[in-house]
Amino acid sequence: MAAPLGCGYGDLVLASSRAVDDEEEEEEASQKPSPSAVLRWSTQAKQEISESPNDCIECSALIVAIGPVATGFIHTYLLHQETEILGMIGSGLSEDTCNTFEQTSPADATCFLHRLKSAPSVIVCQCNVDIPPEMMFSWTQQLFSCINIHNTYVGILASAPVSEFRSSVSLSDVTVPFLRGLKTNQFHGKPVCPYLEQPNTAKGLPASVLTHCQVYRVPAVLYMCYSDSIYVEIPAIKAFLPVLKGTPFRDIVQENPHADITLRKLVELRALQNNLYT
Amino acid sequence: MFVSCEKEPNIPKGYTLLLPAVSVGNVGQLAVDLIVHTLGMERIGYLHTDCLLPMVGNNPFSTSQEDASQLATGTEVYRSVEKNIVAVQQRAPLVRGKQCEFRRRLLEWAKQCGFSRVVLLTSSHAYERIDTQMTGTQLRYLLSPELQQSVGKAVGELKWTELERRRLYPGVEQRDGEEQTGVFIPGGGIARKFYQECCEAGFPLAVLLTFCAEGDNIPDAFSLANYLNQWLQLVPCKKSGGKGATPQAEWKIPSSWTLLFGSAYPPDLY
C-alpha cells in the first residue's frame, strides 16, 4: 500500500496561493473591534469635573511630553515643583502596562496627567508608553476630552533619531543633538528653534496631538529633539532647554537648583534598563 | 470625517473629486502633489479620522519664506474653484484593519458633498502584468457603469486602454462555458475594493492607473498626471511629442520633492 503523500517524507509545505488576497487579511482584521485608550481620573479630579459648569477641567497651558528624553526634561525642569496626579491614560493590558496611580518612578511605562500646585491651570502629560498606531487617535481624543481647550496653549515635546532626519548637508557635519519646531496656524509666535525643514515630517503620537490642535484651531507648538543615541543622555535632555524661554513654558517654569543631580539620577535609572536582558 | 478650515464650508455640488490611493511607488499621491501645486489649489479642510496614521510637517507646497511655516497634516482637502475640482492628498498610510471603514466613510462623504464623479489615481505592480500589458502604454482606466454612461464616449475618443479583466479562477470553467473575470489591481491600495463598492452603489467612479515598480517614481507620476490631464484638461499642454503620445503639461514640482532618497552622503566615507 502506498504511503499517504507527505507521510514519512517530511512536512507538506503549502505554497502561498495567489487566490488569497492580502486584502482578505485586512478585511478579517477589520471585523475585530479596535482597541481604545481609556482616561482614568483621580477621585479629586472626578469631583472637580462633576462640579464644573461644562464638565471640563480648566486649562490655560497643556504640556505633553512623549518619550524618555522629553519626559526626562519635564521631570527635571518642570515637575520638581509640587504637583498632583490628576489622571492617567491607559492604552492596553499587556504585561508591562501600568494601570495604577502608585507607580510614579520616572522610568516606569506610565502616562500620567500632572497639575502644578503653584499654577493649577497648567496640566502636564508625561507619556512614557509606546502607544500602538491604531490607538493614537483615541489616545488624543481622550487627552482632550475633559480639558477645556479654549484659551489653552499646547506645548508638545518629543524626540527622534537623527538617522530619520533628511538634510542636504551631510549629517556628520551637523551638531547633534539639535531641536526643530512645528506650530499650528493659531500659534502666533515663532518656535524658539528653526522650523522642521521640508521634506522632514513628524509622525506618531506627537503628530497625532499636533494634528488635533491644527484641526480644532488650538495654538500649539511641537519641539522635536534629534539625537544620535538610542539611550537617554544628558545632552539630549538639555537640548530642550531653549523651550523654557518660549510660550507656553516661560510663564510657568521655576528654576531647579538641583537640576544636574536630578538629571544624573534619571540617566542612571534609565541605564539600568538599557542592557541586553531588557 | 471632513473638518473644514473655512469659516463657512463650501464644496459646491457637481465638483469632481480627485483621490489618490496609497499604492506601489506612491504614484497617485505624487500625481496629486503635481496637480495641487500647479493649480495653486487652496486648502479647505482635513480628513480627520482614526483610519489614518498621523503625520505633520511644514507646508509641502510653499513658494516663499512666509508660507513655509504653515503646518500640513496627514490628509488634507484642496479646492480649485476655477477648475471645479476638489482634491484629497493623503500623505500617510491607513491604520491596519481600517481600510474597509475608510472606504465606507469616503464613499459616504463623496455622496454627501454631491460630487459629480470621483477620479481615483493609483498604480499597480509591474511584475504582475499579463502578456498583453508588457508592451505598449502602461496606463489603464476603469469606469463604473454610472460614469460609463456619461463619459464613456469622451474617454473612447481618447483611445485609452481599459484595464483588462482577469480570470478569477484560472483553469476552472463554469457550466455555461464562460469564465468568471474580475478586476485585478495588485499593489493598488484601496482601488479594487473601492471600485467594486462604487459599482454596487451606482456611484460614478473612474480609476486611472499606471503599472510601475518601486524606485524613482517621478516619471510615473508625471505620466499619470498627464493621462488625467488629457481627459480633464486642467493644465495647458505643450505640443504632443509624437503620434499616440500623451500630451505633456507644464507641471510645477513642489518643494517637498527634495531628498526623496535620503540625506546627502558623508563625504569622508570615501
Side-chain angles (χ1 to χ4, degrees), chain B residues 36-255:
Chain B
V36 169
H37 191 52
T38 306
L39 294 181
M41 293 174 78
E42 59 167 326
R43 183 174 64 188
I44 59 168
Y46 316 93
L47 292 189
H48 191 54
T49 160
D50 61 344
C51 299
L52 296 162
L53 288 175
M55 180 235 98
V56 287
N58 269 330
N59 188 1
F61 303 120
S62 71
T63 50
S64 64
Q65 284 287 335
E66 286 76 35
D67 65 4
S69 60
Q70 189 184 32
L71 190 73
T73 63
T75 307
E76 298 184 320
V77 183
Y78 299 84
R79 178 186 61 211
S80 167
V81 171
E82 194 190 326
K83 301 291 177 181
N84 290 353
I85 57 166
V86 164
V88 169
Q89 178 55 298
Q90 183 182 344
R91 302 188 177 93
L94 293 167
V95 172
R96 187 167 169 73
K98 290 282 188 175
Q99 199 200 88
C100 185
E101 177 66 16
F102 181 67
R103 289 193 315 263
R104 185 190 65 76
R105 290 194 203 177
L106 210 52
L107 185 53
E108 198 177 289
W109 176 60
K111 284 180 184 172
Q112 255 173 23
C113 292
F115 292 114
S116 62
R117 59 197 170 189
V118 175
V119 180
L120 183 69
L121 301 177
T122 186
S123 51
S124 184
H125 284 303
Y127 65 77
E128 290 273 11
R129 291 174 294 176
I130 55 176
D131 292 346
T132 51
Q133 293 167 342
M134 296 289 282
T135 53
T137 176
Q138 297 298 286
L139 297 156
R140 296 290 187 276
Y141 79 96
L142 273 175
L143 297 177
S144 68
E146 186 76 22
L147 197 57
Q148 180 73 37
Q149 288 171 21
S150 51
V151 307
K153 191 175 170 201
V155 167
E157 284 166 10
L158 295 170
K159 297 193 174 17
W160 281 1
T161 308
E162 192 176 9
L163 181 67
E164 297 84 347
R165 267 23 184 203
R166 302 264 193 113
R167 288 177 292 177
L168 288 177
Y169 308 105
V172 176
E173 274 191 22
Q174 304 302 306
R175 281 187 190 166
D176 52 10
E178 284 185 21
E179 287 177 323
Q180 272 192 308
T181 59
V183 165
F184 187 60
I185 313 179
I190 65 169
R192 184 175 75 87
K193 292 268 169 138
F194 193 62
Y195 172 75
Q196 283 171 350
E197 283 158 9
C198 286
C199 289
E200 282 162 24
F203 195 80
L205 172 76
V207 177
L208 303 189
L209 67 92
T210 179
F211 296 110
C212 68
E214 289 279 356
D216 181 0
N217 298 108
I218 306 275
D220 302 304
F222 275 98
S223 170
L224 191 62
N226 283 325
Y227 194 51
L228 173 73
N229 195 50
Q230 202 183 0
W231 172 31
L232 295 186
Q233 301 287 310
L234 300 172
V235 175
C237 291
K238 294 183 266 196
K239 281 192 181 166
S240 177
K243 191 180 168 186
T246 309
Q248 311 284 304
E250 305 256 2
W251 299 107
K252 285 190 206 163
I253 294 180
S255 57

Side-chain angles (χ1 to χ4, degrees), chain A residues 17 26 35 41 63 82 104 110 129-130 136 141 156 158 180 185 222 231-232 244 246 248 256 262 264:
Chain A
S17 167
E26 177 76 41
W41 293 107
I63 313 293
E82 213 178 330
T104 53
T110 53
V129 181
D130 284 330
M136 286 177 184
Q141 300 283 83
I156 309 157
R180 287 294 185 267
N185 292 358
L222 163 64
Y231 303 119
V232 176
L244 297 180
N256 180 4
T262 309
R264 225 177 10 255

Side-chain angles (χ1 to χ4, degrees), chain A residues 3-269:
Chain A
L5 193 65
C7 178
Y9 291 93
D11 292 336
L12 271 176
V13 177
L14 297 170
S16 58
S17 167
R18 286 176 60 189
V20 176
D21 200 342
D22 283 343
E23 290 175 16
E24 290 190 20
E25 290 179 18
E26 177 76 41
E27 296 297 332
E28 280 172 22
S30 70
Q31 305 299 327
K32 296 177 196 164
S34 46
S36 297
V38 173
L39 196 157
R40 290 174 52 211
W41 293 107
S42 65
T43 314
Q44 190 193 340
K46 272 190 216 168
Q47 193 179 348
E48 199 176 313
I49 291 169
S50 63
E51 287 169 3
S52 78
N54 49 8
D55 291 333
C56 276
I57 288 191
E58 291 304 315
C59 178
S60 63
L62 173 65
I63 313 293
V64 184
I66 300 164
V69 175
T71 54
F73 174 77
I74 294 295
H75 172 79
T76 306
Y77 292 98
L78 208 56
L79 298 185
H80 63 283
Q81 306 170 60
E82 213 178 330
T83 64
E84 55 174 336
I85 292 181
L86 277 185
M88 59 176 293
I89 306 180
S91 52
L93 286 173
S94 62
E95 278 178 10
D96 53 358
T97 304
C98 298
N99 282 298
T100 78
F101 288 105
E102 307 304 320
Q103 281 165 277
T104 53
S105 165
D108 278 337
T110 53
C111 183
F112 287 131
L113 298 177
H114 302 260
R115 179 158 63 185
L116 299 181
K117 287 198 174 171
S118 60
S121 66
V122 176
I123 296 178
V124 178
C125 175
Q126 290 276 78
C127 182
N128 271 319
V129 181
D130 284 330
I131 309 291
E134 62 271 18
M135 275 206 208
M136 286 177 184
F137 189 87
S138 70
W139 189 97
T140 307
Q141 300 283 83
Q142 287 292 305
L143 177 66
F144 287 99
S145 59
C146 288
I147 292 176
N148 187 0
I149 56 170
H150 297 295
N151 305 316
T152 300
Y153 271 90
V154 177
I156 309 157
L157 304 183
S159 59
V162 75
S163 54
E164 290 180 2
F165 187 80
R166 294 191 185 189
S167 168
S168 52
V169 173
S170 165
L171 290 177
S172 57
D173 295 336
V174 175
T175 309
V176 179
F178 58 86
L179 217 54
R180 287 294 185 267
L182 286 171
K183 68 174 187 70
T184 61
N185 292 358
Q186 295 297 114
F187 188 92
H188 296 299
K190 275 187 177 180
V192 298
C193 61
Y195 286 106
L196 184 62
E197 306 93 319
Q198 277 290 338
N200 294 289
T201 58
K203 55 188 183 187
L205 200 59
S208 179
V209 178
L210 195 68
T211 298
H212 182 98
C213 293
Q214 171 74 359
V215 171
Y216 294 110
R217 304 177 198 213
V218 178
V221 62
L222 163 64
Y223 291 106
M224 290 289 293
C225 169
Y226 288 90
S227 74
D228 56 359
S229 172
I230 58 171
Y231 303 119
V232 176
E233 292 184 345
I234 292 179
I237 295 177
K238 283 192 167 181
F240 280 117
L241 278 172
V243 312
L244 297 180
K245 296 179 193 151
T247 310
F249 302 87
R250 62 172 169 222
D251 300 322
I252 56 180
V253 71
Q254 290 175 13
E255 198 188 332
N256 180 4
H258 308 293
D260 286 340
I261 300 171
T262 309
L263 277 175
R264 225 177 10 255
K265 282 186 183 166
L266 189 71
V267 169
E268 281 166 9
L269 189 61

